[in-house]
Amino acid sequence: MILDEPELEFGGAARHIDPRFGITNYGPADLGAADAPRAIRVGLVGPADQLEGLRRWLERCREPIAAKDEQYPHLFPEFPGCDTDRGLHTTLVFSDRNTRAISSRDLRAIESAGQPAALTRAVSVYAEEIRALADENRVDVLLVARPEQLVETSGRSSGRPDASGDPAQDDPDDPPLGQFANFHDLLKARLLNLRQPIQIIRRSTWDEATRPPEGHSRQDEASRAWNLHVALYYKAGGVPWRLLRNPADLTTCYVGIAFYRSDDGNALNTSVAQVFNERGDGVIVRGGPARISRTDRQPHLAGADALLLQALDAYRREHHTAPARIVLHKTSAFITEESGGFQDAADERFIDTLEMSWITSSEGAATFRPGDAPPLRGTLAVLGERELALYATGSIEFYRTYPGMYIPRPIGIRPATPTRNPRELAAEVLALTKMNWNQTRLDGRLPLTLRTANQVKSILRFCPPDQAVATRYAHYM
């Protein structure tokens, strides 16, 4: 069966299936709200030779940026500009006072040092300047220009994107992550106690003359402007779009759980319970130890009930109420101890509806359609009572093409208990794939719960157990 493309809600409760067209036509979901960011104070940190060019490009983005071409106008729409009367209906505010340049002496030291000393030096230098600017409390978001002098280490790492552009599935046999530490994750881990989120940007994003690093491709300019400005708007406290919710529906708490090894590889931990409501408001709950089962060689929780109770406490602190329904997604199968522990926690808090699903990163099953085009996004194959295969990527009628670079693979949905019919279960997962403020196309592959849990774990792994960490998801994306 083919599921309809889920609609999203924008300004004035208007609806559209594509985030970019919804924002262009109707504005962000919180348009007109008292707490919507009408002006975003941006702090700039980076090499002096980048900051001037970056600022000029951001100024250019106040005006529309033309679409890439006319062949696929829905896939590559123009950027409407970022100002108070268009697009996100906000403006970016800069000042020399809120700009910090990394000294040429420090940049030379980074360039001349070998790995991993160069990475350690770069993180320390940047963290010092960022803290100094953040402590002055005059900015909402910090935009950080990555040093070109720093050569990124490479290697496979669970939680970093795979070839499909999505975080890979948990792999208990991953090597220690210290071998694959990178500037993005280490800097964010160092700064998780700041009030302001940071956004790291490469020179190739704003400078057409700079080639992307090896293994990276460059999107068209309008798409780059879309993705950056939506991320900044969300990090400043805005709501670009939200899930549709029928007033008759139960208030739902969405929780995603993943696993990661510590930086030294000695401990396996529960990554995070990533708690969201229909608006997409996220709360980070740091989990405890996990273990690898001898039976299925998958990671499992040591205290499922305690983790869910911790997540519900965080939800209540954030939203001042308890949910009526919990939807829990995990990156490994549910064993009896886990499902029983989660159910005990739900019963303790008098929550009647608990739905648990194992979401796999890929399934062995495949579907085909006549001709050469890949399956349509939303194609659902029911393989058994508790086994579904859903194409969250694929050909998209609204785009009139398949926008991917690789053969699409379905994700697996394996409910621990058959609580809903397959179509409703898969439709909700498909809708959650659209709640990604790091990109503005409509075709995310993993649901928000697991995509963000995987992003969070790539940063938490570098945080000591006793380190205080931020609770807002905006600090991790």
Side-chain angles (χ1 to χ4, degrees):
M1 70 183 78
I2 310 295
L3 304 177
D4 293 334
E5 185 62 53
E7 291 184 314
L8 299 168
E9 182 181 317
F10 299 91
R15 302 179 179 185
H16 203 286
I17 62 171
D18 187 279
R20 296 165 298 184
F21 284 87
I23 290 173
T24 298
N25 295 337
Y26 312 112
D30 59 350
L31 182 64
D35 56 352
R38 297 282 290 171
I40 301 173
R41 300 172 301 168
V42 179
L44 297 176
V45 179
D49 66 338
Q50 288 200 50
L51 295 180
E52 183 180 352
L54 173 57
R55 185 164 168 174
R56 283 199 306 268
W57 185 71
L58 293 171
E59 294 281 1
R60 163 176 158 72
C61 290
R62 297 188 193 279
E63 300 297 326
I65 295 177
K68 177 181 179 180
D69 56 44
E70 297 181 356
Q71 184 177 5
Y72 300 109
H74 286 174
L75 179 56
F76 301 109
E78 77 165 7
F79 178 66
C82 182
D83 215 333
T84 54
D85 62 348
R86 69 194 70 168
L88 290 163
H89 291 260
T90 190
T91 184
L92 305 185
V93 180
F94 318 99
S95 72
D96 293 339
R97 189 180 180 190
N98 293 333
T99 299
R100 293 271 182 156
I102 304 299
S103 72
S104 57
R105 177 176 56 83
D106 284 327
L107 292 172
R108 288 194 302 272
I110 292 169
E111 186 173 23
S112 61
Q115 291 290 0
L119 179 58
T120 302
R121 179 67 178 266
V123 169
S124 296
V125 167
Y126 269 74
E128 182 178 354
E129 294 293 345
I130 291 169
R131 284 189 188 281
L133 183 53
D135 287 346
E136 295 173 359
N137 203 29
R138 294 193 307 267
V139 299
D140 303 305
V141 182
L142 291 141
L143 189 54
V144 179
R146 188 186 184 281
E148 295 178 281
Q149 293 82 359
L150 181 64
V151 178
E152 194 75 278
T153 54
S154 62
R156 183 177 62 87
S157 157
S158 71
R160 303 309 301 160
D162 63 12
S164 67
D166 284 284
Q169 189 76 356
D170 288 312
D171 184 352
D173 297 320
D174 273 346
L177 267 292
Q179 299 178 30
F180 302 129
N182 62 74
F183 180 75
H184 174 278
D185 294 348
L186 281 175
L187 184 62
K188 293 209 169 189
R190 181 78 66 88
L191 298 171
L192 282 181
N193 60 345
L194 293 186
R195 182 186 66 84
Q196 305 92 333
I198 67 174
Q199 175 75 30
I200 300 173
I201 186 170
R202 293 180 181 272
R203 183 167 191 154
S204 56
T205 299
W206 56 266
D207 184 0
E208 297 291 338
T210 300
R211 298 185 61 179
E214 184 178 357
H216 293 255
S217 60
R218 176 160 43 201
Q219 295 177 307
D220 62 288
E221 187 180 20
S223 294
R224 299 196 306 268
W226 266 116
N227 293 338
L228 176 64
H229 285 78
V230 165
L232 292 176
Y233 188 79
Y234 177 75
K235 290 183 179 186
V239 183
W241 59 84
R242 60 168 63 100
L243 292 176
L244 292 183
R245 181 174 181 270
N246 188 316
D249 292 342
L250 297 176
T251 302
T252 302
C253 169
Y254 297 98
V255 181
I257 297 176
F259 303 89
Y260 68 96
R261 289 195 181 277
S262 58
D263 187 29
D264 59 13
N266 292 330
L268 181 67
N269 296 315
T270 305
S271 163
V272 59
Q274 183 69 37
V275 183
F276 286 86
N277 64 6
E278 295 87 346
R279 289 168 52 94
D281 298 327
V283 181
I284 306 304
V285 178
R286 194 174 191 177
R291 59 181 174 81
I292 300 296
S293 169
R294 294 182 178 179
T295 303
D296 61 10
R297 298 298 303 162
Q298 293 189 52
H300 295 288
L301 292 161
D305 53 344
L307 178 60
L308 186 53
L309 289 172
Q310 190 180 0
L312 290 171
D313 288 341
Y315 186 95
R316 177 176 286 279
R317 285 194 301 270
E318 183 74 10
H319 306 297
H320 309 291
T321 186
R325 171 175 172 256
I326 299 171
V327 173
L328 198 154
H329 294 157
K330 195 160 71 77
T331 57
S332 62
F334 287 85
I335 58 176
T336 302
E337 291 84 352
E338 288 176 316
S339 56
F342 286 130
Q343 189 62 63
D344 289 344
D347 291 343
E348 181 177 330
R349 296 298 172 84
F350 303 101
I351 296 172
D352 293 331
T353 304
L354 171 64
E355 299 176 13
M356 298 174 282
S357 292
W358 169 23
I359 308 292
T360 71
S361 64
S362 64
E363 283 291 295
T367 64
F368 301 89
R369 56 191 291 227
D372 298 329
L376 289 167
R377 168 176 154 89
T379 298
L380 174 64
V382 180
L383 307 176
E385 183 183 17
R386 300 189 186 181
E387 189 173 359
L388 313 177
L390 172 66
Y391 278 86
T393 55
S395 298
I396 298 173
E397 291 183 334
F398 183 68
Y399 292 159
R400 299 185 180 277
T401 188
Y402 168 54
M405 298 178 62
Y406 305 92
I407 296 174
R409 300 171 298 167
I411 60 174
I413 306 174
R414 303 184 182 182
T417 54
T419 55
R420 307 178 75 187
N421 71 62
R423 188 183 191 96
E424 291 179 349
L425 181 62
E428 184 170 51
V429 171
L430 191 65
L432 288 169
T433 66
K434 305 181 78 158
M435 301 296 288
N436 175 17
W437 300 281
N438 267 330
Q439 74 156 21
T440 51
R441 273 186 5 198
L442 62 81
D443 60 333
R445 186 167 187 272
L446 289 178
L448 171 74
T449 46
L450 296 189
R451 168 178 282 276
T452 52
N454 279 327
Q455 285 181 302
V456 168
K457 77 180 185 183
S458 68
I459 295 169
L460 284 184
R461 71 184 67 216
F462 298 113
C463 300
D466 58 348
Q467 177 183 334
V469 299
T471 58
R472 280 189 66 206
Y473 166 56
H475 287 79
Y476 299 82
M477 59 178 281

